[in-house]
Amino acid sequence: MPYINVRIAAPKSAEKAQQVAKLLTDLAVSALGKQREVVAVDVQFATPESWFVGGKTVASQALNTFFIEVKVTTGTNTRDDKAQFIAAAYDGMHAILGTVTPTSYIVTQNVDGEDWGFGGQTQAYRYIAPQVK
């Protein structure tokens, strides 16, 4: 884990998608302490004409913007870890996209270990399995 969902209001670009995926994967490892091989990043683009900030399209404001959701297992990251991730992700997205609106949001969400997993096993099971022998 984690699962990172990204929406970007900017012209679609495979190169930018790759840069965003690398940035957020690297930050999940360095700031959140996650294992690289289980970090999933889903990058989607929206047209700047269909994204509104303050009632105006970002296209009309000559801005780019983004929304990032990061789902992590409850109790695996501190407030400081999350703050570091958010600050570095914002700065990194600004570097990739250029001028972005300050109302570009990053949300970290805690999900209980019993409520999610991968490979057919919950995170809660992964935690207790090595202890039960």
Side-chain angles (χ1 to χ4, degrees):
M1 307 287 171
Y3 172 74
I4 304 173
N5 187 36
V6 185
R7 286 195 41 145
I8 302 169
K12 189 172 184 176
S13 162
E15 180 182 350
K16 286 197 187 312
Q18 182 63 51
Q19 291 172 331
V20 168
K22 181 180 183 330
L23 166 73
L24 297 176
T25 299
D26 290 348
L27 288 175
V29 173
S30 65
L32 300 176
K34 305 304 180 189
Q35 296 175 7
R36 181 173 299 279
E37 60 274 6
V38 295
V39 176
V41 181
D42 180 10
V43 180
Q44 303 164 39
F45 288 86
T47 63
E49 295 79 20
S50 66
W51 196 306
F52 295 80
V53 174
K56 299 176 187 173
T57 68
V58 292
S60 70
Q61 300 175 62
L63 296 170
N64 295 308
T65 192
F66 60 87
F67 176 71
I68 300 172
E69 290 178 293
V70 183
K71 296 183 187 297
V72 296
T73 305
T74 299
T76 61
N77 291 103
T78 66
R79 179 183 296 180
D80 290 340
D81 295 340
K82 294 173 193 178
Q84 180 184 359
F85 179 90
I86 289 169
Y90 183 87
D91 289 345
M93 293 296 286
H94 184 274
I96 293 168
L97 299 175
T99 305
V100 295
T101 176
T103 54
S104 297
Y105 295 105
I106 304 169
V107 178
T108 60
Q109 297 176 317
N110 290 316
V111 180
D112 192 282
E114 295 176 1
D115 296 328
W116 86 325
F118 65 96
Q121 298 177 332
T122 67
Q123 290 298 85
Y125 176 80
R126 289 178 192 287
Y127 176 77
I128 62 169
Q131 299 171 36
V132 181
K133 293 200 178 202

